[in-house]
Amino acid sequence: ERELLAIIVGHARSIKAFLNTNAGHLNNFKLNYAKPDKWEEGARRVEGMAAFLSHTTVIGNALALRKVMAEAIRRSQRQVVPFASRSLALATLAVGGLERGKSDSGSVRAPGSAHEVAEDIELLGKGGCGLEDTNACTTRRELLVLGENIQELSLWSLLPYAYGAAFLADEWNKAACTAEGEQGVLTNNLHVAALTIHELFSVYKMGNTDMHTEYLRVASLILLRIGSEPALASTTSFRARNVFLSRWFVANGPHGATRGKLRRFLSV
């Protein structure tokens, strides 16, 4: 668990560096992605896209493995120690609550030792972080350190445009699909990037900005533009992008971006 967390945070730092390097280009793309004569030029000015997608894929692999491990532990503990969840919940309230009460951590609370144990093995819930307060999730708490102030959050707010521009990366042309839709898998493992995007959008939200919906708006428009350009849309690469977007819907769950919104954006 700790090794996976170190991998996730390390590659998130690299993504932050990518955003910092390309802040000017991404802000320009943000202003022009809807303009027919400027969207492609703006996207191609972004530098280091291959490495950016590589970091995203590594994080997605780690998140996927973490999810598998957590589910295996939950199933095991239900059989071997079926009351562990309730016991840790009570310990968290009794001990962790007291320790949190002594903390001056502000919005990113520092859970007590009992709470950390429960987080690490995800015994306090059925999925995701295992906790209603997503800031208390081990992974998200560590990632939040990379967005502690308004300037850093403003940088992370460029993510929807970075991932929208990434649809023009050559990596999509190298991705063959094993199936269609949300069950599809891409041979270069790029489909796991959907988990990363959902996680980063959830962590680095700023004010009332919904990065999930904004990404859907940008990605759907870019996908349409790519599909309308024969020089850009090979059969394989277009299918890969569609599979990826379907997988992202599954990862996104109830967080604002729905197929109804996608149909609305695509019909504009």
Side-chain angles (χ1 to χ4, degrees), residues 5-19 52 55-56 58-59 139 142-144 146 155-156 159 163 196 200 203-204:
L5 184 59
I7 289 172
I8 291 170
V9 174
H11 285 274
R13 290 185 187 278
S14 297
I15 289 176
K16 182 181 177 182
F18 164 85
L19 294 174
F52 170 58
H55 294 307
T56 301
V58 172
I59 293 175
T139 303
E142 294 292 331
L143 286 174
L144 275 167
L146 303 180
L155 194 63
W156 285 108
L159 272 177
Y163 283 118
T196 307
L200 294 181
V203 170
Y204 299 116

PDB file of all heavy atoms in Angstrom, residues 5-19 52 55-56 58-59 139 142-144 146 155-156 159 163 196 200 203-204:
ATOM      1  N   LEU A   5       1.294   4.066  -2.939  1.00  0.00           N
ATOM      2  CA  LEU A   5       1.041   5.476  -2.667  1.00  0.00           C
ATOM      3  C   LEU A   5       2.213   6.334  -3.110  1.00  0.00           C
ATOM      4  O   LEU A   5       2.032   7.405  -3.694  1.00  0.00           O
ATOM      5  CB  LEU A   5       0.772   5.673  -1.173  1.00  0.00           C
ATOM      6  CG  LEU A   5       0.395   7.094  -0.731  1.00  0.00           C
ATOM      7  CD1 LEU A   5      -0.864   7.560  -1.447  1.00  0.00           C
ATOM      8  CD2 LEU A   5       0.203   7.139   0.776  1.00  0.00           C
ATOM      9  N   ALA A   6       3.437   5.859  -2.865  1.00  0.00           N
ATOM     10  CA  ALA A   6       4.629   6.610  -3.283  1.00  0.00           C
ATOM     11  C   ALA A   6       4.695   6.725  -4.798  1.00  0.00           C
ATOM     12  O   ALA A   6       5.066   7.780  -5.341  1.00  0.00           O
ATOM     13  CB  ALA A   6       5.884   5.917  -2.753  1.00  0.00           C
ATOM     14  N   ILE A   7       4.314   5.662  -5.499  1.00  0.00           N
ATOM     15  CA  ILE A   7       4.285   5.698  -6.966  1.00  0.00           C
ATOM     16  C   ILE A   7       3.262   6.719  -7.448  1.00  0.00           C
ATOM     17  O   ILE A   7       3.546   7.539  -8.339  1.00  0.00           O
ATOM     18  CB  ILE A   7       3.953   4.298  -7.522  1.00  0.00           C
ATOM     19  CG1 ILE A   7       5.129   3.351  -7.301  1.00  0.00           C
ATOM     20  CG2 ILE A   7       3.605   4.380  -9.012  1.00  0.00           C
ATOM     21  CD1 ILE A   7       4.819   1.902  -7.632  1.00  0.00           C
ATOM     22  N   ILE A   8       2.072   6.690  -6.874  1.00  0.00           N
ATOM     23  CA  ILE A   8       1.002   7.603  -7.287  1.00  0.00           C
ATOM     24  C   ILE A   8       1.420   9.058  -7.088  1.00  0.00           C
ATOM     25  O   ILE A   8       1.307   9.888  -7.996  1.00  0.00           O
ATOM     26  CB  ILE A   8      -0.289   7.299  -6.498  1.00  0.00           C
ATOM     27  CG1 ILE A   8      -0.859   5.948  -6.926  1.00  0.00           C
ATOM     28  CG2 ILE A   8      -1.325   8.406  -6.706  1.00  0.00           C
ATOM     29  CD1 ILE A   8      -1.981   5.440  -6.041  1.00  0.00           C
ATOM     30  N   VAL A   9       1.928   9.372  -5.903  1.00  0.00           N
ATOM     31  CA  VAL A   9       2.307  10.762  -5.596  1.00  0.00           C
ATOM     32  C   VAL A   9       3.495  11.195  -6.451  1.00  0.00           C
ATOM     33  O   VAL A   9       3.542  12.329  -6.949  1.00  0.00           O
ATOM     34  CB  VAL A   9       2.622  10.915  -4.095  1.00  0.00           C
ATOM     35  CG1 VAL A   9       3.147  12.315  -3.800  1.00  0.00           C
ATOM     36  CG2 VAL A   9       1.368  10.640  -3.266  1.00  0.00           C
ATOM     37  N   GLY A  10       4.452  10.296  -6.659  1.00  0.00           N
ATOM     38  CA  GLY A  10       5.625  10.642  -7.471  1.00  0.00           C
ATOM     39  C   GLY A  10       5.251  11.013  -8.895  1.00  0.00           C
ATOM     40  O   GLY A  10       5.743  12.012  -9.437  1.00  0.00           O
ATOM     41  N   HIS A  11       4.386  10.224  -9.499  1.00  0.00           N
ATOM     42  CA  HIS A  11       3.983  10.520 -10.873  1.00  0.00           C
ATOM     43  C   HIS A  11       3.020  11.713 -10.926  1.00  0.00           C
ATOM     44  O   HIS A  11       2.986  12.427 -11.938  1.00  0.00           O
ATOM     45  CB  HIS A  11       3.361   9.285 -11.522  1.00  0.00           C
ATOM     46  CG  HIS A  11       4.382   8.250 -11.890  1.00  0.00           C
ATOM     47  ND1 HIS A  11       5.056   8.274 -13.095  1.00  0.00           N
ATOM     48  CD2 HIS A  11       4.880   7.193 -11.208  1.00  0.00           C
ATOM     49  CE1 HIS A  11       5.906   7.260 -13.141  1.00  0.00           C
ATOM     50  NE2 HIS A  11       5.824   6.597 -12.007  1.00  0.00           N
ATOM     51  N   ALA A  12       2.268  11.945  -9.852  1.00  0.00           N
ATOM     52  CA  ALA A  12       1.435  13.148  -9.792  1.00  0.00           C
ATOM     53  C   ALA A  12       2.307  14.400  -9.774  1.00  0.00           C
ATOM     54  O   ALA A  12       1.951  15.432 -10.373  1.00  0.00           O
ATOM     55  CB  ALA A  12       0.529  13.105  -8.566  1.00  0.00           C
ATOM     56  N   ARG A  13       3.445  14.324  -9.121  1.00  0.00           N
ATOM     57  CA  ARG A  13       4.383  15.460  -9.132  1.00  0.00           C
ATOM     58  C   ARG A  13       4.868  15.728 -10.563  1.00  0.00           C
ATOM     59  O   ARG A  13       5.024  16.889 -10.961  1.00  0.00           O
ATOM     60  CB  ARG A  13       5.580  15.170  -8.218  1.00  0.00           C
ATOM     61  CG  ARG A  13       5.267  15.159  -6.745  1.00  0.00           C
ATOM     62  CD  ARG A  13       6.521  14.995  -5.901  1.00  0.00           C
ATOM     63  NE  ARG A  13       6.199  14.823  -4.496  1.00  0.00           N
ATOM     64  CZ  ARG A  13       5.928  15.829  -3.665  1.00  0.00           C
ATOM     65  NH1 ARG A  13       5.975  17.073  -4.113  1.00  0.00           N
ATOM     66  NH2 ARG A  13       5.639  15.591  -2.396  1.00  0.00           N
ATOM     67  N   SER A  14       5.106  14.664 -11.314  1.00  0.00           N
ATOM     68  CA  SER A  14       5.547  14.833 -12.703  1.00  0.00           C
ATOM     69  C   SER A  14       4.451  15.458 -13.551  1.00  0.00           C
ATOM     70  O   SER A  14       4.720  16.282 -14.437  1.00  0.00           O
ATOM     71  CB  SER A  14       5.965  13.474 -13.283  1.00  0.00           C
ATOM     72  OG  SER A  14       7.077  12.947 -12.585  1.00  0.00           O
ATOM     73  N   ILE A  15       3.202  15.092 -13.290  1.00  0.00           N
ATOM     74  CA  ILE A  15       2.078  15.694 -14.008  1.00  0.00           C
ATOM     75  C   ILE A  15       1.959  17.175 -13.651  1.00  0.00           C
ATOM     76  O   ILE A  15       1.705  18.022 -14.516  1.00  0.00           O
ATOM     77  CB  ILE A  15       0.767  14.946 -13.686  1.00  0.00           C
ATOM     78  CG1 ILE A  15       0.787  13.564 -14.353  1.00  0.00           C
ATOM     79  CG2 ILE A  15      -0.449  15.743 -14.146  1.00  0.00           C
ATOM     80  CD1 ILE A  15      -0.413  12.703 -14.032  1.00  0.00           C
ATOM     81  N   LYS A  16       2.172  17.494 -12.391  1.00  0.00           N
ATOM     82  CA  LYS A  16       2.144  18.897 -11.972  1.00  0.00           C
ATOM     83  C   LYS A  16       3.233  19.692 -12.680  1.00  0.00           C
ATOM     84  O   LYS A  16       3.005  20.831 -13.125  1.00  0.00           O
ATOM     85  CB  LYS A  16       2.314  18.985 -10.456  1.00  0.00           C
ATOM     86  CG  LYS A  16       2.261  20.406  -9.909  1.00  0.00           C
ATOM     87  CD  LYS A  16       2.456  20.406  -8.401  1.00  0.00           C
ATOM     88  CE  LYS A  16       2.474  21.814  -7.848  1.00  0.00           C
ATOM     89  NZ  LYS A  16       2.721  21.831  -6.378  1.00  0.00           N
ATOM     90  N   ALA A  17       4.411  19.103 -12.816  1.00  0.00           N
ATOM     91  CA  ALA A  17       5.507  19.772 -13.531  1.00  0.00           C
ATOM     92  C   ALA A  17       5.142  19.971 -14.998  1.00  0.00           C
ATOM     93  O   ALA A  17       5.456  21.020 -15.595  1.00  0.00           O
ATOM     94  CB  ALA A  17       6.788  18.941 -13.404  1.00  0.00           C
ATOM     95  N   PHE A  18       4.495  18.992 -15.594  1.00  0.00           N
ATOM     96  CA  PHE A  18       4.025  19.121 -16.985  1.00  0.00           C
ATOM     97  C   PHE A  18       3.041  20.283 -17.116  1.00  0.00           C
ATOM     98  O   PHE A  18       3.138  21.083 -18.056  1.00  0.00           O
ATOM     99  CB  PHE A  18       3.356  17.806 -17.407  1.00  0.00           C
ATOM    100  CG  PHE A  18       2.506  17.906 -18.641  1.00  0.00           C
ATOM    101  CD1 PHE A  18       3.063  17.783 -19.908  1.00  0.00           C
ATOM    102  CD2 PHE A  18       1.134  18.120 -18.539  1.00  0.00           C
ATOM    103  CE1 PHE A  18       2.280  17.870 -21.053  1.00  0.00           C
ATOM    104  CE2 PHE A  18       0.338  18.211 -19.666  1.00  0.00           C
ATOM    105  CZ  PHE A  18       0.921  18.091 -20.927  1.00  0.00           C
ATOM    106  N   LEU A  19       2.112  20.396 -16.190  1.00  0.00           N
ATOM    107  CA  LEU A  19       1.139  21.486 -16.227  1.00  0.00           C
ATOM    108  C   LEU A  19       1.829  22.837 -16.071  1.00  0.00           C
ATOM    109  O   LEU A  19       1.465  23.814 -16.738  1.00  0.00           O
ATOM    110  CB  LEU A  19       0.094  21.302 -15.118  1.00  0.00           C
ATOM    111  CG  LEU A  19      -0.827  20.092 -15.242  1.00  0.00           C
ATOM    112  CD1 LEU A  19      -1.699  19.959 -13.996  1.00  0.00           C
ATOM    113  CD2 LEU A  19      -1.708  20.198 -16.490  1.00  0.00           C
ATOM    114  N   PHE A  52       3.448  12.736 -20.356  1.00  0.00           N
ATOM    115  CA  PHE A  52       2.251  13.067 -19.568  1.00  0.00           C
ATOM    116  C   PHE A  52       1.299  11.876 -19.530  1.00  0.00           C
ATOM    117  O   PHE A  52       0.805  11.483 -18.456  1.00  0.00           O
ATOM    118  CB  PHE A  52       1.588  14.293 -20.191  1.00  0.00           C
ATOM    119  CG  PHE A  52       0.225  14.626 -19.652  1.00  0.00           C
ATOM    120  CD1 PHE A  52       0.030  14.883 -18.307  1.00  0.00           C
ATOM    121  CD2 PHE A  52      -0.867  14.707 -20.512  1.00  0.00           C
ATOM    122  CE1 PHE A  52      -1.237  15.206 -17.819  1.00  0.00           C
ATOM    123  CE2 PHE A  52      -2.124  15.031 -20.034  1.00  0.00           C
ATOM    124  CZ  PHE A  52      -2.311  15.279 -18.687  1.00  0.00           C
ATOM    125  N   HIS A  55       2.826   8.994 -17.389  1.00  0.00           N
ATOM    126  CA  HIS A  55       2.630   9.202 -15.947  1.00  0.00           C
ATOM    127  C   HIS A  55       1.190   8.908 -15.557  1.00  0.00           C
ATOM    128  O   HIS A  55       0.926   8.295 -14.510  1.00  0.00           O
ATOM    129  CB  HIS A  55       2.973  10.641 -15.570  1.00  0.00           C
ATOM    130  CG  HIS A  55       4.418  10.996 -15.727  1.00  0.00           C
ATOM    131  ND1 HIS A  55       5.441  10.262 -15.156  1.00  0.00           N
ATOM    132  CD2 HIS A  55       5.024  12.015 -16.409  1.00  0.00           C
ATOM    133  CE1 HIS A  55       6.603  10.808 -15.460  1.00  0.00           C
ATOM    134  NE2 HIS A  55       6.385  11.869 -16.211  1.00  0.00           N
ATOM    135  N   THR A  56       0.255   9.327 -16.393  1.00  0.00           N
ATOM    136  CA  THR A  56      -1.162   9.092 -16.118  1.00  0.00           C
ATOM    137  C   THR A  56      -1.472   7.603 -16.087  1.00  0.00           C
ATOM    138  O   THR A  56      -2.223   7.126 -15.229  1.00  0.00           O
ATOM    139  CB  THR A  56      -2.022   9.785 -17.192  1.00  0.00           C
ATOM    140  OG1 THR A  56      -1.747  11.188 -17.191  1.00  0.00           O
ATOM    141  CG2 THR A  56      -3.500   9.587 -16.919  1.00  0.00           C
ATOM    142  N   VAL A  58       0.649   5.089 -15.466  1.00  0.00           N
ATOM    143  CA  VAL A  58       1.272   4.471 -14.293  1.00  0.00           C
ATOM    144  C   VAL A  58       0.399   4.670 -13.058  1.00  0.00           C
ATOM    145  O   VAL A  58       0.177   3.735 -12.269  1.00  0.00           O
ATOM    146  CB  VAL A  58       2.683   5.044 -14.051  1.00  0.00           C
ATOM    147  CG1 VAL A  58       3.248   4.546 -12.723  1.00  0.00           C
ATOM    148  CG2 VAL A  58       3.616   4.647 -15.188  1.00  0.00           C
ATOM    149  N   ILE A  59      -0.103   5.882 -12.868  1.00  0.00           N
ATOM    150  CA  ILE A  59      -0.986   6.143 -11.732  1.00  0.00           C
ATOM    151  C   ILE A  59      -2.245   5.272 -11.838  1.00  0.00           C
ATOM    152  O   ILE A  59      -2.704   4.695 -10.845  1.00  0.00           O
ATOM    153  CB  ILE A  59      -1.370   7.632 -11.661  1.00  0.00           C
ATOM    154  CG1 ILE A  59      -0.146   8.478 -11.322  1.00  0.00           C
ATOM    155  CG2 ILE A  59      -2.457   7.862 -10.614  1.00  0.00           C
ATOM    156  CD1 ILE A  59      -0.404   9.976 -11.359  1.00  0.00           C
ATOM    157  N   THR A 139      -4.867   8.080  -0.108  1.00  0.00           N
ATOM    158  CA  THR A 139      -4.330   8.543  -1.385  1.00  0.00           C
ATOM    159  C   THR A 139      -4.634  10.010  -1.606  1.00  0.00           C
ATOM    160  O   THR A 139      -3.758  10.798  -1.954  1.00  0.00           O
ATOM    161  CB  THR A 139      -4.919   7.715  -2.541  1.00  0.00           C
ATOM    162  OG1 THR A 139      -4.642   6.338  -2.314  1.00  0.00           O
ATOM    163  CG2 THR A 139      -4.327   8.151  -3.869  1.00  0.00           C
ATOM    164  N   GLU A 142      -2.677  12.518   0.556  1.00  0.00           N
ATOM    165  CA  GLU A 142      -1.306  12.725   0.107  1.00  0.00           C
ATOM    166  C   GLU A 142      -1.263  13.595  -1.159  1.00  0.00           C
ATOM    167  O   GLU A 142      -0.406  14.457  -1.307  1.00  0.00           O
ATOM    168  CB  GLU A 142      -0.631  11.385  -0.157  1.00  0.00           C
ATOM    169  CG  GLU A 142      -0.433  10.530   1.087  1.00  0.00           C
ATOM    170  CD  GLU A 142       0.573  11.124   2.058  1.00  0.00           C
ATOM    171  OE1 GLU A 142       1.478  11.836   1.590  1.00  0.00           O
ATOM    172  OE2 GLU A 142       0.452  10.885   3.270  1.00  0.00           O
ATOM    173  N   LEU A 143      -2.199  13.355  -2.065  1.00  0.00           N
ATOM    174  CA  LEU A 143      -2.222  14.131  -3.304  1.00  0.00           C
ATOM    175  C   LEU A 143      -2.567  15.594  -3.048  1.00  0.00           C
ATOM    176  O   LEU A 143      -2.092  16.488  -3.755  1.00  0.00           O
ATOM    177  CB  LEU A 143      -3.242  13.532  -4.280  1.00  0.00           C
ATOM    178  CG  LEU A 143      -2.847  12.221  -4.954  1.00  0.00           C
ATOM    179  CD1 LEU A 143      -4.020  11.673  -5.770  1.00  0.00           C
ATOM    180  CD2 LEU A 143      -1.629  12.406  -5.858  1.00  0.00           C
ATOM    181  N   LEU A 144      -3.374  15.845  -2.027  1.00  0.00           N
ATOM    182  CA  LEU A 144      -3.773  17.217  -1.731  1.00  0.00           C
ATOM    183  C   LEU A 144      -2.587  18.105  -1.365  1.00  0.00           C
ATOM    184  O   LEU A 144      -2.650  19.320  -1.490  1.00  0.00           O
ATOM    185  CB  LEU A 144      -4.810  17.229  -0.597  1.00  0.00           C
ATOM    186  CG  LEU A 144      -6.261  17.022  -1.031  1.00  0.00           C
ATOM    187  CD1 LEU A 144      -7.142  16.725   0.166  1.00  0.00           C
ATOM    188  CD2 LEU A 144      -6.777  18.245  -1.771  1.00  0.00           C
ATOM    189  N   LEU A 146      -0.059  18.446  -2.990  1.00  0.00           N
ATOM    190  CA  LEU A 146       0.421  19.060  -4.228  1.00  0.00           C
ATOM    191  C   LEU A 146      -0.489  20.192  -4.706  1.00  0.00           C
ATOM    192  O   LEU A 146      -0.243  20.789  -5.746  1.00  0.00           O
ATOM    193  CB  LEU A 146       0.526  18.000  -5.335  1.00  0.00           C
ATOM    194  CG  LEU A 146       1.418  16.792  -5.032  1.00  0.00           C
ATOM    195  CD1 LEU A 146       1.428  15.830  -6.211  1.00  0.00           C
ATOM    196  CD2 LEU A 146       2.831  17.240  -4.693  1.00  0.00           C
ATOM    197  N   LEU A 155      -3.319  25.800 -11.256  1.00  0.00           N
ATOM    198  CA  LEU A 155      -2.527  24.988 -12.178  1.00  0.00           C
ATOM    199  C   LEU A 155      -3.223  23.664 -12.461  1.00  0.00           C
ATOM    200  O   LEU A 155      -3.360  23.250 -13.616  1.00  0.00           O
ATOM    201  CB  LEU A 155      -1.146  24.748 -11.573  1.00  0.00           C
ATOM    202  CG  LEU A 155      -0.052  24.199 -12.501  1.00  0.00           C
ATOM    203  CD1 LEU A 155       0.243  25.183 -13.617  1.00  0.00           C
ATOM    204  CD2 LEU A 155       1.213  23.915 -11.689  1.00  0.00           C
ATOM    205  N   TRP A 156      -3.705  23.010 -11.413  1.00  0.00           N
ATOM    206  CA  TRP A 156      -4.399  21.731 -11.599  1.00  0.00           C
ATOM    207  C   TRP A 156      -5.707  21.896 -12.369  1.00  0.00           C
ATOM    208  O   TRP A 156      -6.179  20.950 -13.003  1.00  0.00           O
ATOM    209  CB  TRP A 156      -4.685  21.086 -10.240  1.00  0.00           C
ATOM    210  CG  TRP A 156      -3.484  20.478  -9.586  1.00  0.00           C
ATOM    211  CD1 TRP A 156      -2.815  20.948  -8.501  1.00  0.00           C
ATOM    212  CD2 TRP A 156      -2.806  19.278  -9.974  1.00  0.00           C
ATOM    213  NE1 TRP A 156      -1.753  20.135  -8.192  1.00  0.00           N
ATOM    214  CE2 TRP A 156      -1.732  19.092  -9.076  1.00  0.00           C
ATOM    215  CE3 TRP A 156      -3.001  18.344 -10.995  1.00  0.00           C
ATOM    216  CZ2 TRP A 156      -0.865  18.003  -9.170  1.00  0.00           C
ATOM    217  CZ3 TRP A 156      -2.134  17.265 -11.086  1.00  0.00           C
ATOM    218  CH2 TRP A 156      -1.082  17.096 -10.185  1.00  0.00           C
ATOM    219  N   LEU A 159      -6.141  20.648 -15.972  1.00  0.00           N
ATOM    220  CA  LEU A 159      -6.176  19.228 -16.318  1.00  0.00           C
ATOM    221  C   LEU A 159      -7.205  18.859 -17.389  1.00  0.00           C
ATOM    222  O   LEU A 159      -6.892  18.094 -18.309  1.00  0.00           O
ATOM    223  CB  LEU A 159      -6.427  18.387 -15.060  1.00  0.00           C
ATOM    224  CG  LEU A 159      -5.209  17.962 -14.245  1.00  0.00           C
ATOM    225  CD1 LEU A 159      -5.663  17.204 -13.004  1.00  0.00           C
ATOM    226  CD2 LEU A 159      -4.254  17.104 -15.062  1.00  0.00           C
ATOM    227  N   TYR A 163      -5.977  16.927 -20.804  1.00  0.00           N
ATOM    228  CA  TYR A 163      -6.435  15.612 -21.248  1.00  0.00           C
ATOM    229  C   TYR A 163      -7.267  15.703 -22.530  1.00  0.00           C
ATOM    230  O   TYR A 163      -7.306  14.751 -23.308  1.00  0.00           O
ATOM    231  CB  TYR A 163      -7.215  14.924 -20.136  1.00  0.00           C
ATOM    232  CG  TYR A 163      -6.308  14.365 -19.065  1.00  0.00           C
ATOM    233  CD1 TYR A 163      -6.376  14.822 -17.745  1.00  0.00           C
ATOM    234  CD2 TYR A 163      -5.363  13.397 -19.377  1.00  0.00           C
ATOM    235  CE1 TYR A 163      -5.538  14.319 -16.772  1.00  0.00           C
ATOM    236  CE2 TYR A 163      -4.509  12.892 -18.403  1.00  0.00           C
ATOM    237  CZ  TYR A 163      -4.604  13.353 -17.107  1.00  0.00           C
ATOM    238  OH  TYR A 163      -3.748  12.860 -16.148  1.00  0.00           O
ATOM    239  N   THR A 196      -7.165   7.473 -13.321  1.00  0.00           N
ATOM    240  CA  THR A 196      -6.333   8.603 -12.905  1.00  0.00           C
ATOM    241  C   THR A 196      -7.073   9.921 -13.066  1.00  0.00           C
ATOM    242  O   THR A 196      -7.071  10.772 -12.163  1.00  0.00           O
ATOM    243  CB  THR A 196      -5.035   8.646 -13.739  1.00  0.00           C
ATOM    244  OG1 THR A 196      -4.394   7.380 -13.668  1.00  0.00           O
ATOM    245  CG2 THR A 196      -4.099   9.732 -13.237  1.00  0.00           C
ATOM    246  N   LEU A 200      -7.806  12.515 -10.032  1.00  0.00           N
ATOM    247  CA  LEU A 200      -7.219  13.858  -9.990  1.00  0.00           C
ATOM    248  C   LEU A 200      -8.292  14.931 -10.042  1.00  0.00           C
ATOM    249  O   LEU A 200      -8.194  15.948  -9.352  1.00  0.00           O
ATOM    250  CB  LEU A 200      -6.234  14.029 -11.151  1.00  0.00           C
ATOM    251  CG  LEU A 200      -4.983  13.145 -11.112  1.00  0.00           C
ATOM    252  CD1 LEU A 200      -4.087  13.431 -12.317  1.00  0.00           C
ATOM    253  CD2 LEU A 200      -4.202  13.334  -9.816  1.00  0.00           C
ATOM    254  N   VAL A 203      -9.788  15.202  -6.574  1.00  0.00           N
ATOM    255  CA  VAL A 203      -8.898  15.755  -5.549  1.00  0.00           C
ATOM    256  C   VAL A 203      -8.718  17.259  -5.709  1.00  0.00           C
ATOM    257  O   VAL A 203      -8.796  18.016  -4.744  1.00  0.00           O
ATOM    258  CB  VAL A 203      -7.519  15.056  -5.599  1.00  0.00           C
ATOM    259  CG1 VAL A 203      -6.507  15.790  -4.713  1.00  0.00           C
ATOM    260  CG2 VAL A 203      -7.643  13.608  -5.153  1.00  0.00           C
ATOM    261  N   TYR A 204      -8.490  17.702  -6.947  1.00  0.00           N
ATOM    262  CA  TYR A 204      -8.083  19.092  -7.168  1.00  0.00           C
ATOM    263  C   TYR A 204      -9.215  19.988  -7.644  1.00  0.00           C
ATOM    264  O   TYR A 204      -8.997  20.923  -8.410  1.00  0.00           O
ATOM    265  CB  TYR A 204      -6.916  19.137  -8.158  1.00  0.00           C
ATOM    266  CG  TYR A 204      -5.704  18.407  -7.652  1.00  0.00           C
ATOM    267  CD1 TYR A 204      -5.223  17.278  -8.306  1.00  0.00           C
ATOM    268  CD2 TYR A 204      -5.057  18.824  -6.497  1.00  0.00           C
ATOM    269  CE1 TYR A 204      -4.113  16.588  -7.831  1.00  0.00           C
ATOM    270  CE2 TYR A 204      -3.951  18.135  -6.004  1.00  0.00           C
ATOM    271  CZ  TYR A 204      -3.486  17.030  -6.681  1.00  0.00           C
ATOM    272  OH  TYR A 204      -2.400  16.351  -6.196  1.00  0.00           O
TER     273      TYR A 204
END
